[in-house]
Amino acid sequence: MGDPALSQIRIVLVEPAGALNVGSIARVIKNMGLQHLVLVNPQCDPNSDEARQMAVRGHEILAAAQQVATLTEALQGCQRVIATIGRDHSPDQSVEAPRQALPWLLDQPAALVFGREDRGLTTTELNYAHRLVRIPADPAYPSLNLAQAVGICCYELYQAAELLEPLPDRPSDQNQSESVAELASFEALEGYYQHLETVLLKIGYLYPHTAASRMGKFRRLFNRSQLSKAELALLRGILSQLEWSLAEPKKTT
Amino acid sequence: MGDPALSQIRIVLVEPAGALNVGSIARVIKNMGLQHLVLVNPQCDPNSDEARQMAVRGHEILAAAQQVATLTEALQGCQRVIATIGRDHSPDQSVEAPRQALPWLLDQPAALVFGREDRGLTTTELNYAHRLVRIPADPAYPSLNLAQAVGICCYELYQAAELLEPLPDRPSDQNQSESVAELASFEALEGYYQHLETVLLKIGYLYPHTAASRMGKFRRLFNRSQLSKAELALLRGILSQLEWSLAEPKKTT
């Protein structure tokens, strides 16, 4: 069943190592009306007895869990991506509370990404996210069990979806498809970043050895602004125009 | 260390049967700045390897957990008791959401009581509670793992305690005392509301018979924004300037 506002959200676990955690996560995903679990290169067996025992009636979520090799595969088709981050990580990007950021995933092809039990997500992985969240916790011991972290975020999603229901001034069905259509897809953004990097290298703004970190800043900047398809088309248009100008013999100048 | 508003709250588990759950609960109790775990007639060994492995750095909470024979013993000295309840139980008493009810436990000798994994709390046990909470969940499968349920409630308690602090933006150690000092005092706000009312009456915006209710709206508005001293000074400056303009003979216009 589940709430329609939650039906397009996938919970993505990057290299989870604990079968108990994965099972427990399948259960709480079902408790909170979500459906999709994606495991990126899991380091444990999601079909083990341990996992299934913890899943209880979430076993179908576990059985249907998609396994992929990389985070980029897990994010195919998503328009909104939020990643979770621990206390010890302090990225350039601003970090929000789940209650503040997670409602933004509702009614969208979206992903909520959780990192490894022991060391979370890498900077490269975090750079795929449009927004970052950190669960408020006591600074004396802020490191939550993975399943607890997922549970708390799913609970916030469920509550946000419940709040959506009776309110006509919230995103309603008629303008939903419209605004979904407007946002640039993950693939389109990736295509743009590749194109941008190529052009910036070509003009000598980027150097091969610093390109990755500099591009990380651009990714964060553009991801934060939540580009629409139309805006992305404009940005790509600039790049094409630039390339055209660079190729053209400079007669007119 | 933990938040002082949380320091008198005990988490009470009635006959928990899963050592993994108890260990996981010890961890999340510590994550969320709580300290006291009370086990009523536990059906598992809280000092087992399983429990301690799940507790990780919450092991001290586990080691200090009090074991008692009955719920009444567990509640000795408490002034406020909230019990959690599953979907299948429908008591006479009204049932609230955690977010609504749990802040009531702050700063009090208080207990939050969780029932058995399989069948929750008995009616007799529920009757010790002043209030009942139920975690919002999908009606298709509302039965949460015990540790998840405790985790979500502790998270709500931690957030409620954080909101208690007088800080509009998130407490960071270095600016904490500073921004506390910056907030306008109760007396200063009252002075402003009086001044505002006087001026609004003078200009004929307020009428004496409706002033009180209209001023109530302004109070709520400004109180919600948690004005700083500096902002309040600006607002008062506007009023003073307004009064000056009103008093001045209109030669120049």
Side-chain angles (χ1 to χ4, degrees):
Chain A
M1 301 290 297
D3 191 298
L6 298 170
S7 65
Q8 295 181 81
I9 301 175
R10 57 189 90 164
I11 301 297
V12 179
L13 309 181
V14 176
E15 300 193 344
L20 292 171
N21 279 340
V22 175
S24 186
I25 286 165
R27 178 174 181 175
V28 82
I29 282 176
K30 190 161 169 68
N31 290 149
M32 295 303 162
L34 290 144
Q35 295 164 49
H36 307 297
L37 175 61
V38 184
L39 305 172
V40 178
N41 189 28
Q43 303 297 299
C44 62
D45 180 4
N47 298 309
S48 65
D49 287 346
E50 274 184 314
R52 278 184 295 152
Q53 272 164 28
M54 291 304 283
V56 195
R57 281 180 53 205
H59 61 84
E60 62 202 64
I61 306 278
L62 201 58
Q66 197 190 342
Q67 293 193 37
V68 296
T70 63
L71 181 55
T72 50
E73 282 177 73
L75 301 179
Q76 293 301 307
C78 286
Q79 288 176 346
R80 297 183 172 184
V81 179
I82 292 182
T84 54
I85 190 170
R87 182 73 54 161
D88 42 342
H89 212 108
S90 49
D92 304 341
Q93 234 172 319
S94 74
V95 180
E96 300 169 278
R99 193 165 298 170
Q100 186 184 355
L102 296 185
W104 183 71
L105 299 179
L106 299 177
D107 278 318
Q108 307 287 331
L112 178 58
V113 185
F114 295 84
R116 298 152 191 86
E117 282 95 338
D118 53 352
R119 56 204 168 85
L121 295 164
T122 66
T123 304
T124 308
E125 287 161 349
L126 288 173
N127 282 343
Y128 290 121
H130 304 109
R131 296 166 76 167
L132 300 180
V133 299
R134 180 182 285 141
I135 295 172
D138 192 337
Y141 183 37
S143 164
L144 268 76
N145 164 267
L146 175 62
Q148 290 282 8
V150 176
I152 286 168
C153 288
C154 290
Y155 160 77
E156 287 288 2
L157 281 170
Y158 182 76
Q159 297 219 106
E162 273 201 317
L163 285 175
L164 267 195
E165 304 284 299
L167 298 173
D169 40 330
R170 288 299 176 85
S172 61
D173 286 350
Q174 65 276 16
N175 59 28
Q176 186 172 317
S177 52
E178 187 185 298
S179 56
V180 169
E182 266 178 21
L183 272 188
S185 72
F186 176 75
E187 294 80 6
L189 278 169
E190 284 304 303
Y192 171 66
Y193 295 138
Q194 297 302 331
H195 195 176
L196 179 63
E197 184 170 350
T198 306
V199 172
L200 295 180
L201 282 164
K202 197 181 290 176
I203 62 172
Y205 171 87
L206 287 181
Y207 297 101
H209 63 286
T210 56
S213 81
R214 187 65 62 95
M215 284 305 298
K217 292 184 204 293
F218 287 121
R219 278 170 180 274
R220 287 193 290 275
L221 184 160
F222 287 118
N223 284 348
R224 202 170 57 235
S225 68
Q226 301 168 29
L227 296 171
S228 71
K229 278 188 180 175
E231 290 164 337
L232 196 68
L234 291 177
L235 289 170
R236 290 207 72 152
I238 294 172
L239 294 181
S240 301
Q241 181 64 29
L242 245 177
E243 286 191 306
W244 186 82
S245 309
L246 292 169
E248 161 122 312
K250 302 190 177 174
K251 292 177 197 161
T252 49
T253 43
Chain B
M1 291 310 294
D3 192 297
L6 298 170
S7 65
Q8 295 180 80
I9 302 175
R10 57 189 92 166
I11 301 298
V12 179
L13 309 181
V14 175
E15 299 192 345
L20 292 171
N21 279 340
V22 174
S24 185
I25 286 165
R27 178 174 180 176
V28 81
I29 282 176
K30 190 162 170 67
N31 290 149
M32 294 303 163
L34 290 144
Q35 296 165 47
H36 307 296
L37 175 61
V38 184
L39 306 172
V40 178
N41 188 27
Q43 303 297 298
C44 63
D45 180 5
N47 297 309
S48 65
D49 287 347
E50 275 183 314
R52 278 184 293 152
Q53 270 163 31
M54 292 303 284
V56 196
R57 280 181 54 203
H59 60 83
E60 62 203 68
I61 306 277
L62 201 59
Q66 197 190 342
Q67 294 194 37
V68 297
T70 64
L71 181 54
T72 49
E73 282 176 73
L75 301 179
Q76 293 302 308
C78 286
Q79 288 174 348
R80 298 182 171 184
V81 179
I82 293 182
T84 54
I85 189 169
R87 183 73 54 163
D88 43 343
H89 212 110
S90 49
D92 304 338
Q93 236 174 313
S94 73
V95 180
E96 300 167 275
R99 195 165 297 171
Q100 187 183 356
L102 296 185
W104 182 70
L105 299 178
L106 299 177
D107 277 320
Q108 306 288 331
L112 179 58
V113 185
F114 295 84
R116 299 152 191 86
E117 281 96 338
D118 54 352
R119 52 200 171 86
L121 295 164
T122 65
T123 305
T124 309
E125 287 162 350
L126 288 173
N127 285 340
Y128 291 120
H130 303 110
R131 297 165 78 166
L132 301 180
V133 299
R134 180 184 284 140
I135 295 173
D138 192 338
Y141 183 37
S143 164
L144 269 75
N145 164 266
L146 176 61
Q148 291 281 9
V150 176
I152 287 167
C153 288
C154 290
Y155 160 76
E156 287 289 3
L157 280 170
Y158 182 76
Q159 296 219 107
E162 273 201 316
L163 285 175
L164 268 194
E165 319 258 310
L167 298 173
D169 31 353
R170 278 303 154 100
S172 73
D173 287 349
Q174 66 279 17
N175 63 22
Q176 192 163 325
S177 53
E178 185 188 301
S179 53
V180 169
E182 264 179 23
L183 277 186
S185 70
F186 175 76
E187 295 79 9
L189 278 168
E190 284 305 303
Y192 172 66
Y193 295 138
Q194 296 303 330
H195 195 175
L196 179 63
E197 184 169 351
T198 305
V199 172
L200 295 179
L201 283 164
K202 197 181 287 176
I203 63 172
Y205 172 88
L206 288 180
Y207 298 101
H209 64 287
T210 57
S213 82
R214 187 64 61 94
M215 285 305 298
K217 292 182 204 294
F218 289 120
R219 280 171 179 273
R220 284 193 291 277
L221 185 159
F222 287 117
N223 285 346
R224 201 168 61 234
S225 67
Q226 300 175 29
L227 297 172
S228 70
K229 280 188 178 176
E231 289 165 334
L232 196 68
L234 291 176
L235 290 170
R236 291 208 72 154
I238 294 171
L239 294 181
S240 301
Q241 180 64 27
L242 247 176
E243 287 192 306
W244 184 82
S245 309
L246 293 169
E248 161 123 313
K250 301 188 179 174
K251 292 174 198 161
T252 50
T253 44

